[in-house]
Amino acid sequence: EAAGVGISPEQLLPLYPVTATKIYMNLGEPDAIEKYKDLPFDGIGLMRIEFIITDWVQYHPLYLIEQGRENLFIDKLAEGIAKVAQAIYPRPVVVRFSDFKTNEYRGLKGGEKYEPEERNPMIGWRGVSRYIHPKYEPAFRLEVRAIKKVREEMGLTNVWVMFPFVRTTWELERALKIMEEEGLKRGKDFKVWAMAEVPSIALLADKFAEYVDGFSIGSNDLTQLILGADRDNNVLAEMGYFDERDPAVLAGIKMIIEKAHSKGATVSICGQAPSVYPEIVEFLVEAGIDSISVNPDAVIATRRLVASIERKIMLKRLNKIMDKLNKLELGF
Ligand code: PEP
Ligand code: MG
């Protein structure tokens, strides 16, 4: 008896249509998985770990290393990631390595002395550029060890990783090498993705595809960088400059999908755009994206929308096929 919600499984079915495009969910707060785990998503397409660091760890990782307390960082990170991976096993959890800006890192306890003052933190020392820097590399290794702990000691092999703010192939190669030195190697059941959020990746996704299994489009940063419009600038936002539906942004997204697919890499998206704009979801499905990751409150609506778009695309294709067959007069 579904007395609590007063809805039967038959009535629920339309909320859970099967789609060819995977529907993923974005998550930052590990405890929130308890609330959302039964939603119809195929995995976590973006697990941000910044929340775990600011709220659970609270200290700057280099400060902890200096104090000989780096296990605190590894253990808390592993605990948060494992919580999510366990709750939705065997669905995958794509964990993104941290992508704080220097001004945000400085806010962590003990963080001031490790962080340079930057004029433009948004395009400064963030993403992979930190992991491969001799000063920060030891902290990146802690993140890798946390992933390794979850996958190997806790057996949660549904945990994959994703590199944020990738700018060049050489930095990606170096970061992958550090990961390998820690004993984590890209493989059949350990997928490694790169976020596509700097226009260099849109231009050369086929080259970047040599290093990763897939891409996830960070439409927030990609929009900012393609349009040259600071994502936190209210004046520009009010004037309508920051718009993921801008034709230049859509052209960038299309390039990523085509170039990645030409080399067999998958493409997902984890920025805000598909959680907010149904027309972007339609654009993405028509462009052949493999998965779409949205906020928890957009999972059901996105799944239904994708199902209806896929149905429309399929009918269009079948119509074309039937036209051809009819011309052959095969007597259907
Ligand atoms: C993005 O840029 O679209 C993204 C998902 O990353 P963040 O918002 O954390 O920069
Ligand atoms: Mg981003």
Side-chain angles (χ1 to χ4, degrees):
E1 295 285 311
V5 285
I7 189 168
S8 69
E10 284 77 12
Q11 286 170 304
L12 267 179
L13 263 183
L15 299 180
Y16 292 71
V18 175
T19 57
T21 312
K22 290 190 170 67
I23 309 298
Y24 287 152
M25 185 172 81
N26 295 342
L27 195 80
E29 197 179 330
D31 290 318
I33 196 63
E34 280 310 313
K35 191 165 146 198
Y36 299 127
K37 67 182 177 199
D38 294 321
L39 282 171
F41 56 82
D42 299 300
I44 300 295
L46 165 63
M47 177 165 178
R48 288 192 174 96
I49 58 170
E50 287 78 9
F51 175 87
I52 303 178
I53 298 173
T54 53
D55 282 57
W56 290 18
V57 177
Q58 296 183 1
Y59 289 94
H60 194 288
L62 293 179
Y63 175 81
L64 289 175
I65 291 173
E66 207 173 290
Q67 302 270 312
R69 292 166 64 204
E70 59 263 42
N71 280 344
L72 172 71
F73 191 89
I74 298 172
D75 293 346
K76 292 271 183 215
L77 211 52
E79 184 190 337
I81 294 165
K83 182 162 210 162
V84 177
Q86 178 88 58
I88 70 159
Y89 189 87
R91 289 178 284 177
V93 179
V94 184
V95 176
R96 184 183 71 177
F97 289 122
S98 64
D99 189 23
F100 285 122
K101 278 65 107 186
T102 41
N103 52 323
E104 296 165 337
Y105 269 113
R106 203 175 305 114
L108 294 171
K109 289 184 191 166
E112 309 82 15
K113 74 180 218 200
Y114 303 104
E115 299 297 328
E117 286 281 349
E118 289 183 318
R119 275 221 192 151
N120 296 306
M122 198 68 97
I123 48 169
W125 194 34
R126 62 178 287 201
V128 180
S129 66
R130 297 184 72 95
Y131 316 153
I132 63 167
H133 191 288
K135 281 205 177 119
Y136 194 79
E137 188 192 300
F140 171 57
R141 287 181 188 268
L142 301 186
E143 294 188 23
V144 176
R145 283 176 206 159
I147 300 286
K148 194 167 177 244
K149 181 171 172 180
V150 176
R151 285 183 52 90
E152 293 177 12
E153 283 176 36
M154 304 181 177
L156 294 164
T157 48
N158 54 331
V159 170
W160 303 348
V161 294
M162 175 154 81
F163 287 92
F165 219 73
V166 177
R167 294 158 157 134
T168 72
T169 53
W170 58 260
E171 64 167 4
L172 192 52
E173 204 172 359
R174 280 167 64 181
L176 286 167
K177 189 164 160 279
I178 295 169
M179 206 168 72
E180 271 183 36
E181 284 167 11
E182 292 294 331
L184 266 188
K185 200 170 164 20
R186 217 181 124 197
K188 226 172 68 202
D189 77 332
F190 177 52
K191 303 228 186 287
V192 176
W193 289 4
M195 286 196 67
E197 49 186 353
V198 178
S200 56
I201 286 211
L203 296 168
L204 297 175
D206 49 335
K207 301 282 188 299
F208 285 83
E210 277 177 41
Y211 301 89
V212 288
D213 302 286
F215 297 94
S216 185
I217 297 167
S219 49
N220 311 335
D221 276 309
L222 187 66
T223 301
Q224 154 170 272
L225 295 173
I226 284 186
L227 296 174
D230 183 342
R231 61 194 263 191
D232 294 335
N233 186 309
N234 291 333
V235 177
L236 290 178
E238 279 162 20
M239 292 175 77
Y241 279 101
F242 190 90
D243 191 337
E244 294 98 330
R245 298 163 299 175
D246 186 281
V249 178
L250 297 183
I253 290 175
K254 199 152 190 181
M255 260 173 118
I256 294 165
I257 296 174
E258 284 169 2
K259 284 175 184 281
H261 281 176
S262 77
K263 293 289 182 260
T266 57
V267 182
S268 191
I269 182 165
C270 60
Q272 284 300 304
S275 297
V276 180
Y277 300 115
E279 61 267 46
I280 289 210
V281 174
E282 179 152 11
F283 172 83
L284 293 167
V285 175
E286 278 177 357
I289 200 155
D290 301 282
S291 56
I292 297 179
S293 197
V294 293
N295 298 337
D297 61 3
V299 168
I300 290 178
T302 305
R303 183 170 282 284
R304 298 177 72 183
L305 176 60
V306 168
S308 77
I309 297 163
E310 287 181 352
R311 188 170 176 274
K312 213 167 68 186
I313 294 171
M314 191 50 81
L315 281 175
K316 227 192 256 172
R317 275 189 213 152
L318 288 175
N319 264 322
K320 264 196 198 150
I321 293 173
M322 289 311 288
D323 274 354
K324 279 190 199 160
L325 289 176
N326 282 335
K327 283 195 189 110
L328 294 176
E329 291 174 4
L330 294 175
F332 275 107

